[in-house]
Amino acid sequence: MSWLPESMRWYATLLVVTWAFAPLTRWLCGRLPDRGATVARPLSLLAVVWPSWFLASVSPIPFSTVGLWVTVAVGGIAGWTLAVRRGWVTRDWLVALAIAEVVALVAFVGYVGLRGYTPRITGTEKPMDIAFLSASARTTDLPPPDPWFAGETINYYYLGYFVHGSVARMADVPTWVAFNLALATTVAMTITGAAGVAFNAGRSLLGRNGALAVGVLAAFLVAVSGNLYAAKDFLAHPQATIDHSWWTYPDDGGIGWKSSRVVIDHGSAQEETINEFPWFSFLLGDLHPHVTALPFTILALALALGLLWTRFREESDDGSRWARLVVTGIAIGALYPLNSWDFPTYLVVAVAALVFASGWTRAALERVGVLVAAAGVAWLPFTVSFVPFAAGDKSGLPSALRDLPLVSRVLTTIGVYTGERTSAGEFLTVFGIAWAVAVTYLGVAVYRAVRTGSAARIPGAAIAAAVIVGLAAITLSAPVLILAGAPFAASLWLLVRRWGREADAPTVVAGLFAAGFGLILVTEFFYIQDVFQGRYNTLFKVYYQVWTMFGIGAAVAVGLLWREATAAARVVPRTALATGVAIAVAAGAVYPVIASDQWTKWAGPRDWQGLDGLAFIGETAPGDEATIRWLAAHAHEGDVVLEAPGCQYHVNFGIPTSRISAFTGVPTVIGQDGAEGQWRLQQGDLKAQIGPRADEVKEMYEDPQSDLFARYGVTLLYVGEFEQHGTGDDCTKAGPFDAVDRAGYPGSGWTAVFSDDGGTLYRRGTGS
């Protein structure tokens, strides 16, 4: 039960950090009805990490746990002193913070209860995630060292791992427990944040109870609801859907995995695209950047909402408004090192909100400049060290363009998609619930505007454009041009009509729908050129953003439709709306109910196991587990461990390869090859080392006196399950190494510092 006190320390640390920086959130989000209480946690986590991260990135000062706690103390004292002096400490604000905390705690405990059935950290890409989390939790240098490529730093969007690794070191929680607690924290922040943004958007027009209702609906639509694949499958054959395994992949019942693989681009290099949604991600349990960034994207929406509702002309010119713009920019800029795909989208949303609130003036452009500059400068240490892996071949460009760094990067990164378009069925399966709400709301809004005479007649140019788009949709077999194009046009039209007026809930809804449908249209014709050579990854990351915008927008739209029907005292529209919402919620609930049940029993008998994601290794290789626990506590700074190289996705449901480095964060010469190949895609010299390093590891096991140990700085040599027996599949580079069975191995110069049940760790020299 060691996970229980560790979990309590973890949550206590979150509490201290959140409440220490609550005044910062109050200052930044003072325009919001809840004063930012529902997004206080993600903002506070950035506030505690960023100062030490930035300082360690640009100076010789090491990143340390002490530095994190000093930041909490200084931030808390300064913030609460300011809060008291400005009269912010009111009953309403404290109640809002308490309610947000209760919601977060319930969501946190609920997910812990679910995750406890399958806490193991293996399969899919969890080994990569725990490797980055472990490296972040023990590093003193930045960027953190790559645990699977000794001598190099992590070349990935690592901030999410770093944030949770910082909480782990502050709470003194081992990463194999912190991994699952980080997932629970992400779920809790997502639910609380989504509910908060919807509540804040609807509060003025819907009243407190109405805003609470749309907040609950938004939390469900964003964080819990599934798409319509599960509902369709359940209606076709209910018992088969229930009985299948989560991983089963037939055409007649498997919903767990298949619900995230809806859109098929026949003829593409990677035909099956990814269409994940949050509850799928929470069940799968990969601690990937798109997951850890989710609550921070919701924070970005909350900040954009604050910008939208800021009356800049009414604010005093005492520098506070500029300071808020700078801090807002820093928070939104964090999305680049969190999950680089999210940064441009949410920066544009924030800029659009700022311009909408201020008007298209010189002053507005100055504010945009400050916001964008802060977002870029604050995270510049990451930007200059990170080498993006998305880019194409420059050889096809004209020589004049090939030598222009920015232009050539854009032209080789963004590709024009000419393959099979998304079908109507695929699109509606993914976004059908939100699409139905959007079309209903936008249709009603446009109809009312035209009918009441408050809008001019639709111009002939618009009608002509609609005809052209319709013909293009038919010619290109691109139904999404109409399914997304029509509501996109309606949303923009409504936004244009509201230009210059006070922003309110209808403005927010139209803006979220316009952003979502606009992103969908972009993915029909463009994609990011990466290792997958198609829309595979682009649909994945963009659709994830759209899901969040649609979930919050649809929830507030339902509240506005209900308000209008109630004001008109019309029973039929209210009944129809209530029935439609009930059907939508029921359809969305099919996946979380059935898939969650399947997930808790896919690995065997349904037993609650706690949160120790390392314990499962001991079932097959107790020596490996014992060594990992010992090394995590006794590793020296600068250690490098020699272990068998790994193969990505191999031994998926047993022991992951490269497990010693992954669970301890102590670098090894070479880890899982497939992952490193993606991260080093644009670093040709390093990518070329992946294969040779694996060969050299074999040489090093054969000859523990080799000069290669000095070249890679190896201080530790491990002999365990893979090194002695191999993986049992075709990952031959992972062992076995016959030399480890020789008498007296590894010979002079090596001292056994730990040995337990088949696993032995040696250190060069005589140190412990």
PDB file of all heavy atoms in Angstrom, residues 1 6 56 59 102 111 146 221 249 276 288 371 421 457 492 504 588 590 616 666:
ATOM      1  N   MET A   1       0.822  -1.217   0.000  1.00  0.00           N
ATOM      2  CA  MET A   1       0.000   0.000   0.000  1.00  0.00           C
ATOM      3  C   MET A   1       0.859   1.270   0.000  1.00  0.00           C
ATOM      4  O   MET A   1       0.414   2.337   0.388  1.00  0.00           O
ATOM      5  CB  MET A   1      -0.929   0.015   1.217  1.00  0.00           C
ATOM      6  CG  MET A   1      -2.013  -1.038   1.190  1.00  0.00           C
ATOM      7  SD  MET A   1      -3.277  -0.653  -0.043  1.00  0.00           S
ATOM      8  CE  MET A   1      -4.145   0.678   0.792  1.00  0.00           C
ATOM      9  N   GLU A   6       2.090   7.850  -0.884  1.00  0.00           N
ATOM     10  CA  GLU A   6       2.697   8.579  -1.999  1.00  0.00           C
ATOM     11  C   GLU A   6       1.644   9.415  -2.724  1.00  0.00           C
ATOM     12  O   GLU A   6       1.902  10.556  -3.122  1.00  0.00           O
ATOM     13  CB  GLU A   6       3.372   7.592  -2.948  1.00  0.00           C
ATOM     14  CG  GLU A   6       4.625   6.958  -2.348  1.00  0.00           C
ATOM     15  CD  GLU A   6       5.071   5.698  -3.059  1.00  0.00           C
ATOM     16  OE1 GLU A   6       4.289   5.179  -3.892  1.00  0.00           O
ATOM     17  OE2 GLU A   6       6.181   5.223  -2.783  1.00  0.00           O
ATOM     18  N   ALA A  56      17.672  27.695 -14.999  1.00  0.00           N
ATOM     19  CA  ALA A  56      18.594  26.584 -15.240  1.00  0.00           C
ATOM     20  C   ALA A  56      18.927  26.440 -16.719  1.00  0.00           C
ATOM     21  O   ALA A  56      19.986  25.914 -17.069  1.00  0.00           O
ATOM     22  CB  ALA A  56      17.996  25.285 -14.704  1.00  0.00           C
ATOM     23  N   SER A  59      21.562  29.613 -17.435  1.00  0.00           N
ATOM     24  CA  SER A  59      22.664  29.898 -16.522  1.00  0.00           C
ATOM     25  C   SER A  59      23.225  28.597 -15.963  1.00  0.00           C
ATOM     26  O   SER A  59      22.633  27.525 -16.143  1.00  0.00           O
ATOM     27  CB  SER A  59      22.172  30.785 -15.374  1.00  0.00           C
ATOM     28  OG  SER A  59      21.418  30.023 -14.445  1.00  0.00           O
ATOM     29  N   VAL A 102     -13.016  20.645  -4.930  1.00  0.00           N
ATOM     30  CA  VAL A 102     -13.854  19.462  -4.704  1.00  0.00           C
ATOM     31  C   VAL A 102     -14.082  18.713  -6.011  1.00  0.00           C
ATOM     32  O   VAL A 102     -13.985  17.476  -6.064  1.00  0.00           O
ATOM     33  CB  VAL A 102     -15.207  19.872  -4.070  1.00  0.00           C
ATOM     34  CG1 VAL A 102     -16.181  18.699  -4.086  1.00  0.00           C
ATOM     35  CG2 VAL A 102     -14.989  20.363  -2.642  1.00  0.00           C
ATOM     36  N   TYR A 111     -10.664   8.636 -11.124  1.00  0.00           N
ATOM     37  CA  TYR A 111      -9.746   8.060 -12.109  1.00  0.00           C
ATOM     38  C   TYR A 111      -8.737   7.135 -11.449  1.00  0.00           C
ATOM     39  O   TYR A 111      -8.365   6.107 -12.026  1.00  0.00           O
ATOM     40  CB  TYR A 111      -9.016   9.162 -12.874  1.00  0.00           C
ATOM     41  CG  TYR A 111      -8.104   8.592 -13.941  1.00  0.00           C
ATOM     42  CD1 TYR A 111      -8.617   8.177 -15.164  1.00  0.00           C
ATOM     43  CD2 TYR A 111      -6.743   8.423 -13.710  1.00  0.00           C
ATOM     44  CE1 TYR A 111      -7.799   7.619 -16.135  1.00  0.00           C
ATOM     45  CE2 TYR A 111      -5.910   7.871 -14.675  1.00  0.00           C
ATOM     46  CZ  TYR A 111      -6.448   7.468 -15.884  1.00  0.00           C
ATOM     47  OH  TYR A 111      -5.637   6.910 -16.836  1.00  0.00           O
ATOM     48  N   ASP A 146      18.624  12.648 -22.651  1.00  0.00           N
ATOM     49  CA  ASP A 146      17.821  11.606 -23.277  1.00  0.00           C
ATOM     50  C   ASP A 146      18.182  10.267 -22.637  1.00  0.00           C
ATOM     51  O   ASP A 146      19.315   9.807 -22.755  1.00  0.00           O
ATOM     52  CB  ASP A 146      18.114  11.566 -24.779  1.00  0.00           C
ATOM     53  CG  ASP A 146      17.183  10.618 -25.529  1.00  0.00           C
ATOM     54  OD1 ASP A 146      16.613   9.711 -24.898  1.00  0.00           O
ATOM     55  OD2 ASP A 146      17.044  10.785 -26.751  1.00  0.00           O
ATOM     56  N   LEU A 221     -18.817  16.309 -22.341  1.00  0.00           N
ATOM     57  CA  LEU A 221     -18.547  16.264 -23.773  1.00  0.00           C
ATOM     58  C   LEU A 221     -17.049  16.300 -24.073  1.00  0.00           C
ATOM     59  O   LEU A 221     -16.583  15.649 -25.009  1.00  0.00           O
ATOM     60  CB  LEU A 221     -19.239  17.428 -24.476  1.00  0.00           C
ATOM     61  CG  LEU A 221     -20.772  17.373 -24.516  1.00  0.00           C
ATOM     62  CD1 LEU A 221     -21.328  18.636 -25.167  1.00  0.00           C
ATOM     63  CD2 LEU A 221     -21.267  16.135 -25.261  1.00  0.00           C
ATOM     64  N   TYR A 249     -10.351  -6.318 -32.529  1.00  0.00           N
ATOM     65  CA  TYR A 249     -10.394  -5.441 -33.692  1.00  0.00           C
ATOM     66  C   TYR A 249     -11.213  -6.053 -34.834  1.00  0.00           C
ATOM     67  O   TYR A 249     -10.779  -6.112 -35.956  1.00  0.00           O
ATOM     68  CB  TYR A 249      -8.954  -5.199 -34.149  1.00  0.00           C
ATOM     69  CG  TYR A 249      -8.770  -3.975 -34.995  1.00  0.00           C
ATOM     70  CD1 TYR A 249      -8.656  -2.737 -34.409  1.00  0.00           C
ATOM     71  CD2 TYR A 249      -8.689  -4.076 -36.372  1.00  0.00           C
ATOM     72  CE1 TYR A 249      -8.460  -1.612 -35.181  1.00  0.00           C
ATOM     73  CE2 TYR A 249      -8.488  -2.959 -37.154  1.00  0.00           C
ATOM     74  CZ  TYR A 249      -8.375  -1.726 -36.552  1.00  0.00           C
ATOM     75  OH  TYR A 249      -8.173  -0.623 -37.321  1.00  0.00           O
ATOM     76  N   GLU A 276      -8.202   9.999 -31.930  1.00  0.00           N
ATOM     77  CA  GLU A 276      -8.357   9.871 -30.475  1.00  0.00           C
ATOM     78  C   GLU A 276      -9.275  10.954 -29.917  1.00  0.00           C
ATOM     79  O   GLU A 276      -9.406  12.031 -30.481  1.00  0.00           O
ATOM     80  CB  GLU A 276      -6.993   9.984 -29.778  1.00  0.00           C
ATOM     81  CG  GLU A 276      -6.238   8.677 -29.678  1.00  0.00           C
ATOM     82  CD  GLU A 276      -5.060   8.749 -28.711  1.00  0.00           C
ATOM     83  OE1 GLU A 276      -5.173   9.463 -27.690  1.00  0.00           O
ATOM     84  OE2 GLU A 276      -4.051   8.081 -28.977  1.00  0.00           O
ATOM     85  N   HIS A 288       1.275  10.927 -23.039  1.00  0.00           N
ATOM     86  CA  HIS A 288       1.822  11.598 -24.216  1.00  0.00           C
ATOM     87  C   HIS A 288       1.602  13.109 -24.148  1.00  0.00           C
ATOM     88  O   HIS A 288       0.713  13.589 -23.429  1.00  0.00           O
ATOM     89  CB  HIS A 288       1.134  11.040 -25.470  1.00  0.00           C
ATOM     90  CG  HIS A 288       1.954  10.016 -26.180  1.00  0.00           C
ATOM     91  ND1 HIS A 288       2.930   9.291 -25.568  1.00  0.00           N
ATOM     92  CD2 HIS A 288       1.948   9.596 -27.474  1.00  0.00           C
ATOM     93  CE1 HIS A 288       3.486   8.469 -26.441  1.00  0.00           C
ATOM     94  NE2 HIS A 288       2.911   8.637 -27.604  1.00  0.00           N
ATOM     95  N   LEU A 371       1.810  40.166 -26.514  1.00  0.00           N
ATOM     96  CA  LEU A 371       1.367  38.800 -26.236  1.00  0.00           C
ATOM     97  C   LEU A 371       2.234  37.778 -26.974  1.00  0.00           C
ATOM     98  O   LEU A 371       2.728  36.810 -26.374  1.00  0.00           O
ATOM     99  CB  LEU A 371      -0.095  38.649 -26.657  1.00  0.00           C
ATOM    100  CG  LEU A 371      -0.740  37.274 -26.419  1.00  0.00           C
ATOM    101  CD1 LEU A 371      -1.042  37.083 -24.946  1.00  0.00           C
ATOM    102  CD2 LEU A 371      -2.023  37.142 -27.237  1.00  0.00           C
ATOM    103  N   ARG A 421     -10.656  11.780 -49.546  1.00  0.00           N
ATOM    104  CA  ARG A 421     -11.201  12.715 -48.567  1.00  0.00           C
ATOM    105  C   ARG A 421     -11.986  11.977 -47.493  1.00  0.00           C
ATOM    106  O   ARG A 421     -12.418  10.838 -47.679  1.00  0.00           O
ATOM    107  CB  ARG A 421     -12.114  13.736 -49.255  1.00  0.00           C
ATOM    108  CG  ARG A 421     -11.486  14.447 -50.434  1.00  0.00           C
ATOM    109  CD  ARG A 421     -10.325  15.332 -50.033  1.00  0.00           C
ATOM    110  NE  ARG A 421      -9.618  15.851 -51.191  1.00  0.00           N
ATOM    111  CZ  ARG A 421      -8.544  16.623 -51.137  1.00  0.00           C
ATOM    112  NH1 ARG A 421      -8.053  16.971 -49.966  1.00  0.00           N
ATOM    113  NH2 ARG A 421      -7.955  17.046 -52.242  1.00  0.00           N
ATOM    114  N   ARG A 457     -29.937  41.146 -46.092  1.00  0.00           N
ATOM    115  CA  ARG A 457     -30.150  39.954 -46.903  1.00  0.00           C
ATOM    116  C   ARG A 457     -28.812  39.341 -47.290  1.00  0.00           C
ATOM    117  O   ARG A 457     -27.802  40.021 -47.414  1.00  0.00           O
ATOM    118  CB  ARG A 457     -30.938  40.306 -48.164  1.00  0.00           C
ATOM    119  CG  ARG A 457     -32.362  40.741 -47.895  1.00  0.00           C
ATOM    120  CD  ARG A 457     -33.082  41.044 -49.192  1.00  0.00           C
ATOM    121  NE  ARG A 457     -34.465  41.393 -48.945  1.00  0.00           N
ATOM    122  CZ  ARG A 457     -35.443  40.497 -48.813  1.00  0.00           C
ATOM    123  NH1 ARG A 457     -35.174  39.205 -48.905  1.00  0.00           N
ATOM    124  NH2 ARG A 457     -36.682  40.889 -48.592  1.00  0.00           N
ATOM    125  N   LEU A 492     -18.739  32.431 -38.934  1.00  0.00           N
ATOM    126  CA  LEU A 492     -18.038  33.663 -39.285  1.00  0.00           C
ATOM    127  C   LEU A 492     -19.022  34.812 -39.498  1.00  0.00           C
ATOM    128  O   LEU A 492     -18.774  35.956 -39.080  1.00  0.00           O
ATOM    129  CB  LEU A 492     -17.209  33.458 -40.553  1.00  0.00           C
ATOM    130  CG  LEU A 492     -15.889  32.696 -40.412  1.00  0.00           C
ATOM    131  CD1 LEU A 492     -15.171  32.649 -41.757  1.00  0.00           C
ATOM    132  CD2 LEU A 492     -14.987  33.339 -39.368  1.00  0.00           C
ATOM    133  N   ASP A 504     -20.229  38.314 -25.644  1.00  0.00           N
ATOM    134  CA  ASP A 504     -21.028  37.555 -24.697  1.00  0.00           C
ATOM    135  C   ASP A 504     -20.996  36.085 -25.087  1.00  0.00           C
ATOM    136  O   ASP A 504     -20.193  35.664 -25.928  1.00  0.00           O
ATOM    137  CB  ASP A 504     -22.467  38.087 -24.659  1.00  0.00           C
ATOM    138  CG  ASP A 504     -23.107  38.129 -26.047  1.00  0.00           C
ATOM    139  OD1 ASP A 504     -22.503  37.577 -27.005  1.00  0.00           O
ATOM    140  OD2 ASP A 504     -24.203  38.705 -26.186  1.00  0.00           O
ATOM    141  N   GLY A 588     -23.071   9.330 -26.293  1.00  0.00           N
ATOM    142  CA  GLY A 588     -21.695   9.587 -25.880  1.00  0.00           C
ATOM    143  C   GLY A 588     -21.248   8.736 -24.718  1.00  0.00           C
ATOM    144  O   GLY A 588     -20.051   8.487 -24.542  1.00  0.00           O
ATOM    145  N   VAL A 590     -21.962   5.558 -24.215  1.00  0.00           N
ATOM    146  CA  VAL A 590     -21.758   4.141 -24.547  1.00  0.00           C
ATOM    147  C   VAL A 590     -20.284   3.777 -24.448  1.00  0.00           C
ATOM    148  O   VAL A 590     -19.917   2.763 -23.848  1.00  0.00           O
ATOM    149  CB  VAL A 590     -22.304   3.826 -25.955  1.00  0.00           C
ATOM    150  CG1 VAL A 590     -21.921   2.392 -26.360  1.00  0.00           C
ATOM    151  CG2 VAL A 590     -23.811   4.005 -26.004  1.00  0.00           C
ATOM    152  N   PHE A 616       4.511  -5.043 -11.883  1.00  0.00           N
ATOM    153  CA  PHE A 616       4.238  -6.148 -12.800  1.00  0.00           C
ATOM    154  C   PHE A 616       5.514  -6.781 -13.328  1.00  0.00           C
ATOM    155  O   PHE A 616       5.533  -7.963 -13.674  1.00  0.00           O
ATOM    156  CB  PHE A 616       3.387  -5.664 -13.971  1.00  0.00           C
ATOM    157  CG  PHE A 616       4.151  -4.859 -14.986  1.00  0.00           C
ATOM    158  CD1 PHE A 616       4.665  -5.453 -16.131  1.00  0.00           C
ATOM    159  CD2 PHE A 616       4.376  -3.511 -14.789  1.00  0.00           C
ATOM    160  CE1 PHE A 616       5.382  -4.717 -17.052  1.00  0.00           C
ATOM    161  CE2 PHE A 616       5.089  -2.770 -15.712  1.00  0.00           C
ATOM    162  CZ  PHE A 616       5.597  -3.378 -16.848  1.00  0.00           C
ATOM    163  N   VAL A 666      18.203   7.019 -15.735  1.00  0.00           N
ATOM    164  CA  VAL A 666      19.649   6.956 -15.946  1.00  0.00           C
ATOM    165  C   VAL A 666      19.887   6.599 -17.413  1.00  0.00           C
ATOM    166  O   VAL A 666      19.398   5.564 -17.875  1.00  0.00           O
ATOM    167  CB  VAL A 666      20.294   5.902 -15.025  1.00  0.00           C
ATOM    168  CG1 VAL A 666      21.793   5.771 -15.328  1.00  0.00           C
ATOM    169  CG2 VAL A 666      20.069   6.263 -13.564  1.00  0.00           C
TER     170      VAL A 666
END
